[in-house]
Amino acid sequence: MRALRITLILFVILGGLFVLADRVAVGFAEDEAAGRIKSTEGLATTPDVSIGGFPFLTQVVGGELDDVKIGIKNYEASTGGTGSSAGTIRIDDLSAEMRGVAFNGGYSSATAGSATGSASISYAELLKAAKSEPARVAPGFTAEVVSLSDGGNGKIKVTVSVTGPVKVPPVSVLSSVTVSGDTVKVHADSLPKLGVQLAEGRIRSITDFQQKIEQLPGGIKLDSVQAAPDGVEITVKGSNVRLVG
């Protein structure tokens, strides 16, 4: 009995040491991965990296991690264009869950078999895509989108202001938001009454707009989008997503 008790104690101690070593190793790996992703993507801040699965050390031996979660704050995504026409749009929160992350022995490269995640863009940030020079809608009258907000039921409320010799109150319209390739599109469900007679195409040149979002980390792509209280929520996905290298 005494020998069995000693064996059990040793087993518990060794098991505890293994768990401790495993958690220390995963913490070091998370910090190392975060630093490499920051450098690879040219991020202003260090992302949050969480490596799932237990034990971690056996995953290392196999050269593939089961699950890696990444969170990036205030990511500046490209809106396309070159030179003076190049621009960015700020994504407040970008998170992704990577599955089947294979890496080489020196950790200089890592590629996920698949990835899913989400991104949020504020209405104030998306409004930049709608705002340009006020459009001339009639002699002496101009119109422009002045605000975006949650319209409920997955719609965006687009408010248009008309300026001219006669005071015209701002008008709002509910719009649908969709994803087409790498572009978020906002399309009015019905035409607002701007107080002046205009062709449908002319009105839609004011109310409807789109925003391209390119070069997301690792090559992940836009999947779907919906309106939310504080902005639009976008789902992203990808395969063979390169995290490092």
Side-chain angles (χ1 to χ4, degrees), residues 54-143:
F54 181 83
F56 167 70
L57 292 175
T58 58
Q59 296 180 67
V60 172
V61 172
E64 183 174 303
L65 304 178
D66 297 335
D67 179 82
V68 178
K69 294 182 176 66
I70 299 172
I72 303 173
K73 298 287 187 182
N74 300 322
Y75 180 78
E76 296 289 337
S78 170
T79 57
T82 57
S84 60
S85 63
T88 61
I89 184 169
R90 187 182 70 252
I91 298 176
D92 295 329
D93 292 288
L94 176 61
S95 62
E97 183 172 6
M98 313 290 181
R99 298 284 188 177
V101 180
F103 56 91
N104 64 12
Y107 302 102
S108 59
S109 69
T111 302
S114 64
T116 57
S118 63
S120 60
I121 300 175
S122 70
Y123 285 123
E125 192 70 11
L126 188 61
L127 179 62
K128 296 176 183 178
K131 290 183 70 68
S132 57
E133 291 297 321
R136 184 174 180 273
V137 294
F141 287 88
T142 60

Side-chain angles (χ1 to χ4, degrees), residues 16-34:
L17 289 174
F18 174 78
V19 171
L20 177 61
D22 192 79
R23 294 303 88 190
V24 170
V26 76
F28 174 81
E30 288 170 346
D31 291 343
E32 183 71 12

Side-chain angles (χ1 to χ4, degrees), residues 6-243:
I6 292 174
T7 300
L8 289 174
I9 291 172
L10 288 174
F11 180 79
V12 170
I13 292 174
L14 290 174
L17 289 174
F18 174 78
V19 171
L20 177 61
D22 192 79
R23 294 303 88 190
V24 170
V26 76
F28 174 81
E30 288 170 346
D31 291 343
E32 183 71 12
R36 288 182 180 269
I37 293 172
K38 178 183 179 182
S39 175
T40 299
E41 297 294 338
L43 304 177
T45 59
T46 301
D48 294 324
V49 176
S50 175
I51 299 175
F54 181 83
F56 167 70
L57 292 175
T58 58
Q59 296 180 67
V60 172
V61 172
E64 183 174 303
L65 304 178
D66 297 335
D67 179 82
V68 178
K69 294 182 176 66
I70 299 172
I72 303 173
K73 298 287 187 182
N74 300 322
Y75 180 78
E76 296 289 337
S78 170
T79 57
T82 57
S84 60
S85 63
T88 61
I89 184 169
R90 187 182 70 252
I91 298 176
D92 295 329
D93 292 288
L94 176 61
S95 62
E97 183 172 6
M98 313 290 181
R99 298 284 188 177
V101 180
F103 56 91
N104 64 12
Y107 302 102
S108 59
S109 69
T111 302
S114 64
T116 57
S118 63
S120 60
I121 300 175
S122 70
Y123 285 123
E125 192 70 11
L126 188 61
L127 179 62
K128 296 176 183 178
K131 290 183 70 68
S132 57
E133 291 297 321
R136 184 174 180 273
V137 294
F141 287 88
T142 60
E144 64 178 325
V145 175
V146 292
S147 71
L148 303 176
S149 58
D150 181 20
N153 297 319
K155 303 293 184 179
I156 294 179
K157 181 180 178 181
V158 179
T159 301
V160 178
S161 175
V162 179
T163 303
V166 178
K167 186 175 181 180
V168 179
V171 294
S172 298
V173 63
L174 293 180
S175 298
S176 298
V177 56
T178 58
V179 162
S180 177
D182 59 5
T183 303
V184 173
K185 296 184 175 182
V186 178
H187 180 83
D189 292 350
S190 59
L191 299 180
K193 298 185 183 300
L194 301 180
V196 291
Q197 293 297 319
L198 295 174
E200 178 178 345
R202 186 63 174 158
I203 297 177
R204 289 200 177 278
S205 70
I206 302 166
T207 60
D208 297 4
F209 61 93
Q210 60 186 35
Q211 177 63 72
K212 184 173 287 189
I213 302 175
E214 297 182 330
Q215 299 177 16
L216 294 176
I220 56 177
K221 303 295 184 181
L222 306 183
D223 184 34
S224 66
V225 62
Q226 66 177 7
D230 299 318
V232 293
E233 299 290 342
I234 300 171
T235 61
V236 298
K237 67 178 182 179
S239 58
N240 296 320
V241 177
R242 185 172 293 275
L243 302 178

